[in-house]
Amino acid sequence: MKSKILLCIFFFLFLVTPSAYSQENVQTKQINHNVHTWNGLLTTHRLSDNWGVTADFIIRRDDFLKEPGFYFARLGGGYWFNDNVSVSGAYGNLWLYRPQLRDKNFTLEYRFDQQLIVASSLWKFNVTQRFRIESRWREIVEGDQTMGRTFSERIRYLYTFRLPISKKPNVPQLMFSNEVLLQFGKHIVNNPLDQIRLFVGIRQSLGKGVAYDFGYFPIYQQTGAGNVYNLNHTMRLLFYFSTNKSKLDNHNLQMEEQE
């Protein structure tokens, strides 16, 4: 029964996401194509069977590697109910590069989040679902200066499928994921559907709690203007590191953090 439910969810989102994408594109007046790189380290430190802490750091570069994009740091704690289910909360800072500002180069975003992660299997696939709610305080930019802060909330749903192609642990797994991000707030008028993020690539374990994923990470985003859209063609390389004082090995539950 669980496998059938997961399969239905997967196909529903697989069909709905491209549909939403195409409907937005019908109304598009301007699409900006950008090339980015994402690099980062995501860590999980299990203190016991149930408790642990997480610490992440992400760097995005724009124009492939030429220009700064953002820097993101996140620190939190979590509770593991069992091998497959965990909840956590975290605080994060995001420094977003704003070259047009006359008094500084970066705006600062404060962020709190709560999330639920559920891992399961479907046929030969390892499946991970993540539900996250974020509260965000962002600086408002008008022209070449900042004008205070705005508060908004964002709901994110991520599902990931990983397919082992060999029983040997040093052989990469094929990986596909999709995340839908919806945002709400006083200043969110034209773009409640914030982003759609796909990922196609590989996940490989390097042993001793170390793994990485690498692949193509296209991001479709509607800006606050309503008629301007970004299609970011991104190469992503994320490393995962876990230390584990419990008998469980859940570094794969610590899924990718994204701006």
Side-chain angles (χ1 to χ4, degrees), residues 241-256:
F241 176 72
S242 66
T243 59
N244 205 337
K245 294 185 178 180
S246 75
K247 60 184 178 181
L248 308 178
D249 183 11
N250 281 322
H251 74 270
N252 282 330
L253 292 185
Q254 178 61 26
M255 297 308 297
E256 56 272 18

Side-chain angles (χ1 to χ4, degrees), residues 17 21-22 24-25 28 30-36 38 60 62-63 194-198 216-223 227-235:
T17 298
Y21 179 89
S22 61
E24 294 289 348
N25 265 308
T28 297
Q30 178 182 341
I31 299 180
N32 300 319
H33 290 265
N34 307 300
V35 180
H36 293 161
W38 289 56
R60 190 190 79 188
D62 296 347
D63 196 8
D194 180 29
Q195 298 178 41
I196 298 172
R197 299 174 172 179
L198 298 173
Y216 177 54
F217 184 43
I219 301 173
Y220 176 71
Q221 180 182 33
Q222 184 180 21
T223 69
N227 64 334
V228 180
Y229 301 78
N230 293 326
L231 182 54
N232 301 327
H233 306 280
T234 309
M235 296 304 298

Side-chain angles (χ1 to χ4, degrees), residues 25-258:
N25 265 308
V26 170
Q27 302 174 1
T28 297
K29 296 183 179 180
Q30 178 182 341
I31 299 180
N32 300 319
H33 290 265
N34 307 300
V35 180
H36 293 161
T37 58
W38 289 56
N39 300 282
L41 174 65
L42 295 87
T43 66
T44 303
H45 305 280
R46 296 292 302 281
L47 304 176
S48 68
D49 284 354
N50 299 112
W51 295 98
V53 296
T54 60
D56 309 325
F57 185 69
I58 305 289
I59 298 174
R60 190 190 79 188
R61 301 286 296 182
D62 296 347
D63 196 8
F64 195 61
L65 293 171
K66 185 178 180 180
E67 297 289 340
F70 68 74
Y71 302 94
F72 181 75
R74 179 174 177 267
L75 180 64
Y79 182 86
W80 278 255
F81 294 96
N82 53 45
D83 300 47
N84 301 318
V85 181
S86 67
V87 294
S88 65
Y91 169 77
N93 275 1
L94 185 142
W95 295 266
L96 180 63
Y97 183 59
R98 297 282 195 170
Q100 74 270 31
L101 295 178
R102 61 185 179 183
D103 56 342
K104 56 183 178 180
N105 293 326
F106 292 86
T107 58
L108 179 61
E109 173 185 331
Y110 305 107
R111 183 185 302 181
F112 288 95
D113 69 68
Q114 308 87 44
Q115 69 179 26
L116 166 68
I117 293 179
V118 179
S120 59
S121 60
L122 177 63
W123 295 324
K124 295 183 179 181
F125 292 93
N126 297 317
V127 183
T128 302
Q129 299 178 80
R130 186 184 72 188
F131 305 86
R132 177 178 289 180
I133 300 175
E134 296 174 328
S135 299
R136 309 165 70 197
W137 289 263
R138 295 178 290 170
E139 289 187 275
I140 302 172
V141 175
E142 294 187 4
D144 59 357
Q145 58 185 334
T146 58
M147 303 291 291
R149 294 187 179 276
T150 181
F151 173 77
S152 63
E153 293 186 285
R154 189 162 66 179
I155 299 175
R156 302 166 57 159
Y157 173 62
L158 168 71
Y159 62 90
T160 299
F161 286 78
R162 291 181 287 109
L163 176 64
I165 58 177
S166 172
K167 294 182 179 180
K168 298 180 180 180
N170 60 338
V171 176
Q173 301 179 21
L174 300 180
M175 182 174 173
F176 169 79
S177 71
N178 185 23
E179 185 175 25
V180 178
L181 298 86
L182 304 175
Q183 58 181 351
F184 311 91
K186 180 179 179 181
H187 292 84
I188 308 300
V189 178
N190 300 313
N191 58 334
L193 177 58
D194 180 29
Q195 298 178 41
I196 298 172
R197 299 174 172 179
L198 298 173
F199 177 81
V200 178
I202 62 171
R203 165 71 66 86
Q204 182 171 16
S205 173
L206 301 178
K208 295 183 179 180
V210 180
Y212 73 87
D213 65 48
F214 175 75
Y216 177 54
F217 184 43
I219 301 173
Y220 176 71
Q221 180 182 33
Q222 184 180 21
T223 69
N227 64 334
V228 180
Y229 301 78
N230 293 326
L231 182 54
N232 301 327
H233 306 280
T234 309
M235 296 304 298
R236 190 181 84 189
L237 175 62
L238 295 179
F239 287 90
Y240 303 84
F241 176 72
S242 66
T243 59
N244 205 337
K245 294 185 178 180
S246 75
K247 60 184 178 181
L248 308 178
D249 183 11
N250 281 322
H251 74 270
N252 282 330
L253 292 185
Q254 178 61 26
M255 297 308 297
E256 56 272 18
E257 168 61 49
Q258 301 160 355

